[in-house]
Amino acid sequence: MRNFQNPIIRCSEKCNTSDPYILFHNGMYYHCYGNKYGVYVSKAERLEDIGKVEAKQVYEYAQDGVTDFDWYAPELHLIDGVWYIYGSPNIYNKHHSMSVLENKNADPTTPFEGKGVIRGLEGKWTLDGTVLQHNGINYLIWSSGKALVISRLV
């Protein structure tokens, strides 16, 4: 088996882009990812440039005292004019639980505030969440490790 090198975003220790998420909004591409240092967002006008621009650290793990490291699959979403990042941080080095970061600024490359684990998912193994907007209703979809689960966001 041969290794594949992503031609747009080159992986390195600081730019670990496992489970990358790309969003196009108002003429800009946004790339959201996490590594052992925190959660990052970069932006570029052209998708092929997203790996060449500086990524901004929008969340540092040590600031909340709960998530030691390693946000799995963070995704950037704009909901009702507010930026959110949904992901599964390592909680007390025991398990990953769907959590959310919030940013009320117009620019999602500015710092986010940790809002905590999604209510009802505390202590549960939950991964790879995404938001679905359907008929004006927002839903969170995630993996429990055994099944895909969908729940209305309130």
Side-chain angles (χ1 to χ4, degrees):
M1 176 159 55
R2 296 178 357 158
N3 289 335
F4 171 77
Q5 178 63 52
N6 185 324
I8 296 174
I9 302 170
R10 301 283 179 191
C11 291
S12 67
E13 180 183 346
K14 185 150 187 183
C15 182
N16 177 1
T17 59
S18 300
D19 294 326
Y21 187 79
I22 302 284
L23 172 75
F24 185 74
H25 175 70
N26 285 347
M28 300 296 287
Y29 289 93
Y30 294 91
H31 172 225
C32 182
Y33 67 94
N35 64 24
K36 67 182 181 179
Y37 305 103
V39 178
Y40 293 79
V41 175
S42 57
K43 68 178 177 180
E45 290 181 8
R46 298 177 338 146
L47 181 58
E48 57 267 29
D49 293 334
I50 201 74
K52 299 173 187 169
V53 298
E54 179 185 0
K56 304 286 185 177
Q57 185 176 29
V58 298
Y59 188 73
E60 183 179 355
Y61 300 138
Q63 73 187 24
D64 67 11
V66 176
T67 56
D68 298 330
F69 59 91
D70 223 6
W71 268 62
Y72 281 12
E75 288 194 4
L76 178 67
H77 294 274
L78 183 62
I79 302 172
D80 299 328
V82 178
W83 290 102
Y84 296 95
I85 295 176
Y86 291 91
S88 300
N90 188 337
I91 308 292
Y92 297 117
N93 205 23
K94 293 181 180 178
H95 59 274
H96 291 265
S97 290
M98 286 300 304
S99 299
V100 65
L101 306 175
E102 181 184 68
N103 181 342
K104 294 182 180 177
N105 294 315
D107 182 1
T109 64
T110 59
F112 278 68
E113 177 185 352
K115 302 306 269 185
V117 176
I118 304 293
R119 190 175 31 233
L121 299 181
E122 300 91 342
K124 296 180 181 173
W125 183 269
T126 53
L127 295 171
D128 297 327
T130 193
V131 174
L132 168 69
Q133 296 176 318
H134 180 68
N135 291 333
I137 300 172
N138 297 311
Y139 299 90
L140 183 66
I141 303 169
W142 71 91
S143 170
S144 68
K146 297 178 182 176
L148 285 178
V149 183
I150 185 169
S151 180
R152 185 174 179 169
L153 281 173
V154 290

